């Protein structure tokens, strides 16, 4: 799906969603593969009460604060419109923001006020077996002074589950998007407007459990494309040399040694295929890579659930001038539920990310994050998030960087149809390349309607 096609559909989609709202007056992570032999009800999987304890995936940054309104108590959840075996859930959010450093620069810092209009439509299945959910969303950003940064982002998501039996499930997740890169991205070309990007993400998996053994196989096909941006000098910057297809496969096996503990082994491979044989700097960036990891999956006393995996990773580039990153692999994600109203999710991982930085084959990110959610009252949910990351540019020196982020959010539901919220966020990047460093603070207020 091209960015132009998605962008063309942006304004009609937003107007249609807004009209419906006025007319009506509105990821979980792969963790321990144990069935769980405890007989008590796990508060993380309960159907009512504190929704903050539903399992979180810290790697899923696509929703961000959008899911906050779904974390309040069931009595403050949107009721939706019944459509046979589906529930239709329209939502409209309006954000007012202040960004202290809109362009994420060290010098010539410019603060800006902006607003965001976010209509969203959801269709949620209510089958006795299986599941199918669809989400459509548009985000329109309007700036008070720097109008070149005005934009409309679009997102369509589909996720489904087919239950062959109680031991065998097939899952699918698909996403089509047309959005714009963050100004703080390492690959931001400092154009007059943010870099447009569009793409399609597909993930399909089958999971089967027999006795104490569980096997999961997953395949994925992703497409990513990047548009042109204008410059103050006149000529546009062509980002098509970043367009690519990413193929991936993953096989995971686990053995429940005894209740609450599973031995886990996971192997994954990827193939990154660029449309252009050479990028703007003359490098062939096609590559293939793999990860081999083993460790422990835990599900202890209904309070701690997660993975701790260690192993080895490697990414091999076709161009001999590009350094092949490889080394120690670490991935740890845990959901800790100290009380039925609180969840703590720490995460630690090393990943290999693509980059167009001259001379660098890739960016190896070493990251740690923690998310804390707490239901202060039935209609008040507080969220805290903190992260630190160290980005290593493979093949070049003096451009490694530390990044820090801290966020605090609150959501307050007046009724199931009306809620408000706020967020304070701080981001800081300290790069060996001084010009790439920056500090940024964001304040946000939100008003939401849902039905």
């Amino acid at each position: 799906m091209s960015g132009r096609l998605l962008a063309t559909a942006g304004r009609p989609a937003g107007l249609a969603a807004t009209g419906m709202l006025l007319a009506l007056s509105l990821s979980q992570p792969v963790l321990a593969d144990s069935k769980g032999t405890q007989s008590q009800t796990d508060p993380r999987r309960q159907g009512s009460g504190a929704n903050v304890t539903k399992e979180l995936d810290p790697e899923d940054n696509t929703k961000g604060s959008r899911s906050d309104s779904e974390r309040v108590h069931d009595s403050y959840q949107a009721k939706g419109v019944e459509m046979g075996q589906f529930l239709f859930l329209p939502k409209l959010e309006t954000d007012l923001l202040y960004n202290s450093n809109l362009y994420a620069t060290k010098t010539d810092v410019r603060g800006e006020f902006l607003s965001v209009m976010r209509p969203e439509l959801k269709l949620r299945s209510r089958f006795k077996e299986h599941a199918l959910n669809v989400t459509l969303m548009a985000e329109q950003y309007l700036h008070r002074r720097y109008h070149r940064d005005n934009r409309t982002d679009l997102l369509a998501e589909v996720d489904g589950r087919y239950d062959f039996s109680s031991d065998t499930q097939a899952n699918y997740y698909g996403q089509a998007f047309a959005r714009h890169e963050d100004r703080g991205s390492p690959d931001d070309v400092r154009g007059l407007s943010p870099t447009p990007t569009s793409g399609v993400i597909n993930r399909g998996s089958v999971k089967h459990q027999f006795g104490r053994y569980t096997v999961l196989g997953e395949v994925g096909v992703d497409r990513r494309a990047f548009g042109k941006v204008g410059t103050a000098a006149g000529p546009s910057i062509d980002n098509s040399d970043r367009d690519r297809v990413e193929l991936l496969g993953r096989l995971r096996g686990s053995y429940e040694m005894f209740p609450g503990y599973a031995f886990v082994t996971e192997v994954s491979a990827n193939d990154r295929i660029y449309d252009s044989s050479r990028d703007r700097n003359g490098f062939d960036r096609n590559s293939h890579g793999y990860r081999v990891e083993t460790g422990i999956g835990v599900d202890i006393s209904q309070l701690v659930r997660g993975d701790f995996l260690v192993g080895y990773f490697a990414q091999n580039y076709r161009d001999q001038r590009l350094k092949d990153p490889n080394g120690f692999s670490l991935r740890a994600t845990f959901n800790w539920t100290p009380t039925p109203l609180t969840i703590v999710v720490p995460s630690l991982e090393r990943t290999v990310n693509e980059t167009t930085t001259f001379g660098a084959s890739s960016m190896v990110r070493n990251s740690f994050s923690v998310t804390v959610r707490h239901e202060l009252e039935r209609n008040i949910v507080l969220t805290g998030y903190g992260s630190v990351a160290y980005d290593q540019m493979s093949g070049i020196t003096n451009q490694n960087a530390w990044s820090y982020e801290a966020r605090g959010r609150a959501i307050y539901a007046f009724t199931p149809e009306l809620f408000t919220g706020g967020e304070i966020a701080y981001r800081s990047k300290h790069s060996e390349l001084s010009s790439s460093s920056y500090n940024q603070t964001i304040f946000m207020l939100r008003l939401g309607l849902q039905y």
Side-chain angles (χ1 to χ4, degrees):
M1 182 180 296
S2 68
R4 181 178 299 177
L5 177 61
L6 288 169
T8 303
R11 295 184 183 276
L15 292 175
T18 303
M20 291 181 184
L21 288 165
L22 293 176
L24 293 168
S25 298
L26 172 73
S27 210
Q28 59 193 24
V30 180
L31 301 169
D33 289 313
S34 161
K35 273 188 176 180
T37 57
Q38 299 91 340
S39 59
Q40 299 177 7
T41 301
D42 190 334
R44 293 166 309 202
R45 304 183 181 91
Q46 61 190 14
S48 62
N51 291 311
V52 296
T53 56
K54 290 181 179 178
E55 291 168 351
L56 301 175
D57 184 352
E59 299 176 17
D60 182 9
N61 297 316
T62 60
K63 291 185 177 181
S65 62
R66 288 198 293 120
S67 65
D68 282 355
S69 61
E70 301 172 8
R71 299 287 176 178
V72 295
H73 191 273
D74 285 349
S75 59
Y76 287 91
Q77 289 292 313
K79 306 307 179 185
V81 180
E82 294 187 5
M83 300 178 63
Q85 297 191 63
F86 288 87
L87 195 64
F88 177 60
L89 299 160
K91 180 192 293 187
L92 177 64
E93 295 178 338
T94 300
D95 297 348
L96 298 177
L97 298 96
Y98 174 75
N99 188 329
S100 68
N101 188 356
L102 179 65
Y103 296 110
T105 56
K106 183 177 180 180
T107 59
D108 192 23
V109 175
R110 302 184 184 187
E112 173 67 313
F113 289 93
L114 63 148
S115 62
V116 182
M117 183 72 73
R118 185 181 302 104
E120 182 179 76
L121 305 176
K122 286 187 178 181
L123 199 62
R124 182 183 302 163
S125 67
R126 298 186 294 172
F127 308 143
K128 293 182 179 179
E129 293 182 317
H130 321 307
L132 178 62
N133 304 297
V134 180
T135 300
L136 301 175
M137 188 194 71
E139 290 184 301
Q140 186 176 47
Y141 292 77
L142 298 175
H143 294 71
R144 186 170 69 94
R145 291 184 297 170
Y146 302 107
H147 303 299
R148 291 183 183 271
D149 274 58
N150 291 349
R151 64 185 190 272
T152 299
D153 293 348
L154 297 171
L155 176 70
E157 291 180 324
V158 177
D159 68 88
R161 186 192 74 250
Y162 187 86
D163 302 310
F164 292 98
S165 69
S166 59
D167 296 323
T168 306
Q169 295 178 344
N171 290 273
Y172 171 77
Y173 173 79
Q175 181 189 108
F177 63 86
R179 50 178 176 253
H180 297 74
E181 279 195 313
D182 189 275
R183 286 290 195 174
S185 166
D187 293 320
D188 181 42
V189 293
R190 302 298 180 185
L192 292 176
S193 59
T195 301
T197 174
S198 60
V200 178
I201 296 174
N202 293 281
R203 295 284 188 277
S205 66
V206 176
K207 180 179 178 181
H208 177 67
Q209 184 164 351
F210 46 101
R212 291 179 177 270
Y213 295 91
T214 301
V215 176
L216 181 143
E218 181 183 47
V219 295
V221 180
D222 300 349
R223 169 65 181 173
R224 303 178 190 275
F226 302 83
K228 295 181 179 181
V229 292
T231 63
S236 297
I237 299 175
D238 186 1
N239 292 291
S240 62
D241 60 345
R242 298 173 62 189
D243 296 355
R244 61 186 184 269
V245 173
E246 297 182 6
L247 309 176
L248 64 89
R250 182 167 68 98
L251 182 63
R252 174 189 172 97
S254 70
Y255 171 73
E256 186 182 32
M257 299 175 289
F258 45 87
Y261 293 87
F263 175 73
V264 178
T265 298
E266 185 167 313
V267 179
S268 61
N270 69 77
D271 199 4
R272 299 171 180 177
I273 307 167
Y274 282 76
D275 293 1
S276 302
S277 58
R278 303 283 175 179
D279 69 4
R280 68 195 70 178
N281 298 311
F283 292 99
D284 182 350
R285 293 195 169 273
N286 291 327
S287 69
H288 62 272
Y290 65 90
R291 295 174 72 112
V292 179
E293 298 168 316
T294 188
I296 299 295
V298 298
D299 193 346
I300 305 173
S301 302
Q302 305 176 4
L303 295 178
V304 178
R305 180 175 165 90
D307 280 349
F308 183 84
L309 303 177
V310 296
Y312 182 84
F313 75 88
Q315 194 74 25
N316 302 306
Y317 286 82
R318 184 181 299 174
D319 198 312
Q320 297 300 315
R321 295 171 295 172
L322 296 177
K323 180 181 178 181
D324 296 334
N326 58 74
F328 176 67
S329 172
L330 172 64
R331 188 154 50 92
T333 302
F334 291 95
N335 291 333
W336 174 39
T337 310
T339 76
L341 302 178
T342 306
I343 188 169
V344 181
V345 186
S347 176
L348 181 65
E349 187 173 16
R350 295 193 78 199
T351 56
V352 179
N353 300 328
E354 295 295 282
T355 182
T356 55
T357 302
F358 178 76
S361 60
S362 60
M363 181 178 71
V364 178
R365 166 156 287 196
N366 309 271
S367 61
F368 171 77
S369 69
V370 60
T371 299
V372 180
R373 289 188 190 273
H374 177 68
E375 185 181 288
L376 184 65
E377 299 288 347
R378 294 162 65 91
N379 62 330
I380 303 175
V381 172
L382 307 179
T383 303
Y385 172 82
S387 70
V388 57
Y390 180 57
D391 296 329
Q392 298 171 286
M393 293 294 182
S394 298
I396 61 175
T397 59
N398 302 321
Q399 291 198 38
N400 297 339
W402 286 93
S403 299
Y404 308 90
E405 183 173 359
R407 294 179 179 270
R409 295 199 303 270
I411 187 77
Y412 180 94
F414 296 99
T415 68
E417 296 78 28
L418 178 65
F419 62 90
T420 187
E423 178 178 89
I424 300 176
Y426 176 77
R427 293 197 295 180
S428 180
K429 180 179 178 180
H430 300 274
S431 174
E432 294 174 349
L433 182 63
S434 180
S435 60
S436 297
S437 301
Y438 69 90
N439 296 312
Q440 185 182 70
T441 303
I442 298 175
F443 300 91
M444 182 270 286
L445 292 175
R446 172 173 296 166
L447 181 65
L449 294 172
Q450 60 186 8
Y451 187 83

